[in-house]
Amino acid sequence: MSIILIGGGSRSGKSSHALTVARGLSGRLAFIATAQAHDEEMRERIGRHRQDRGSEFITFEEPLDVAALLLREAANFDVFVVDCLTLWLSNMLFAEGRDAGVESHALLTAAAQSSASVILVTNEVGCGIVPENELARQFRDLAGHLNQDAARAAAEVYWMVFGIALKLK
């Protein structure tokens, strides 16, 4: 079908807008959560996100193999929300034996080939200062390239600011 990219800063309304767009597309809805609950605060955050989604979405918790999941489940759903690319990228950076660049290409290829609509949520991390350490700079650079590649592949791109969606493409 098509890729829709929704990006913006922290707490800008990206996830809420993605859910609204997905519900507007209707059909069988799936949510791919890439976050991992490593501490209590993150467990609470994940719980709030689950509550916001409600029972309309079938949720898959998949921190790494999003491309394989999209390919495996595409026939079972009309819409996927992948939330979020930057958490997924962070997971990739810390996973043994994973190449974030190769995996990013695989994820975008799977999304483009999917028979379902795929809504990708991502954070914009390049608007701030240059990070002080090498790993943070590597993450920022990889996220910037991933976001650019996702925007090129997407049929629609939205930038979220203060809870308002600005359509860029």
Side-chain angles (χ1 to χ4, degrees):
M1 286 290 264
S2 66
I3 297 172
I4 299 170
L5 179 66
I6 300 172
S10 297
R11 313 311 304 155
S12 62
K14 300 178 302 290
S15 296
S16 295
H17 187 64
L19 296 178
T20 299
V21 170
R23 288 177 179 121
L25 294 172
S26 71
R28 299 164 298 167
L29 306 175
F31 189 94
I32 302 174
T34 62
Q36 298 179 82
H38 293 298
D39 57 41
E40 185 57 33
E41 185 272 338
M42 195 60 166
R43 279 187 282 282
E44 289 173 10
R45 187 179 290 257
I46 289 169
R48 286 190 304 271
H49 272 268
R50 275 192 197 117
Q51 206 169 18
D52 291 345
R53 282 193 301 276
S55 60
E56 301 167 83
F57 290 83
I58 301 298
T59 298
F60 296 91
E61 294 185 5
E62 182 49 66
L64 297 171
D65 294 320
V66 174
L69 177 60
L70 284 170
L71 293 172
R72 184 177 66 246
E73 295 291 337
N76 298 320
F77 297 95
D78 301 301
V79 182
F80 286 95
V81 175
V82 179
D83 195 356
C84 85
L85 289 182
T86 42
L87 277 176
W88 171 81
L89 182 62
S90 177
N91 297 339
M92 281 291 149
L93 283 174
F94 290 107
E96 291 289 323
R98 298 287 188 142
D99 181 323
V102 170
E103 300 274 353
S104 295
H105 178 74
L107 189 156
L108 294 175
T109 299
Q113 293 174 351
S114 178
S115 58
S117 294
V118 179
I119 301 168
L120 302 172
V121 178
T122 191
N123 286 288
E124 172 51 60
V125 297
C127 291
I129 61 172
V130 175
E132 69 176 33
N133 68 71
E134 182 181 355
L135 180 60
R137 287 189 300 275
Q138 179 186 13
F139 172 75
R140 182 216 41 205
D141 292 349
L142 286 168
H145 292 297
L146 175 57
N147 288 343
Q148 288 181 50
D149 292 343
R152 274 192 291 279
E156 296 177 36
V157 177
Y158 295 89
W159 173 252
M160 296 301 297
V161 177
F162 308 128
I164 298 170
L166 303 174
K167 187 171 185 178
L168 304 177
K169 177 180 177 185

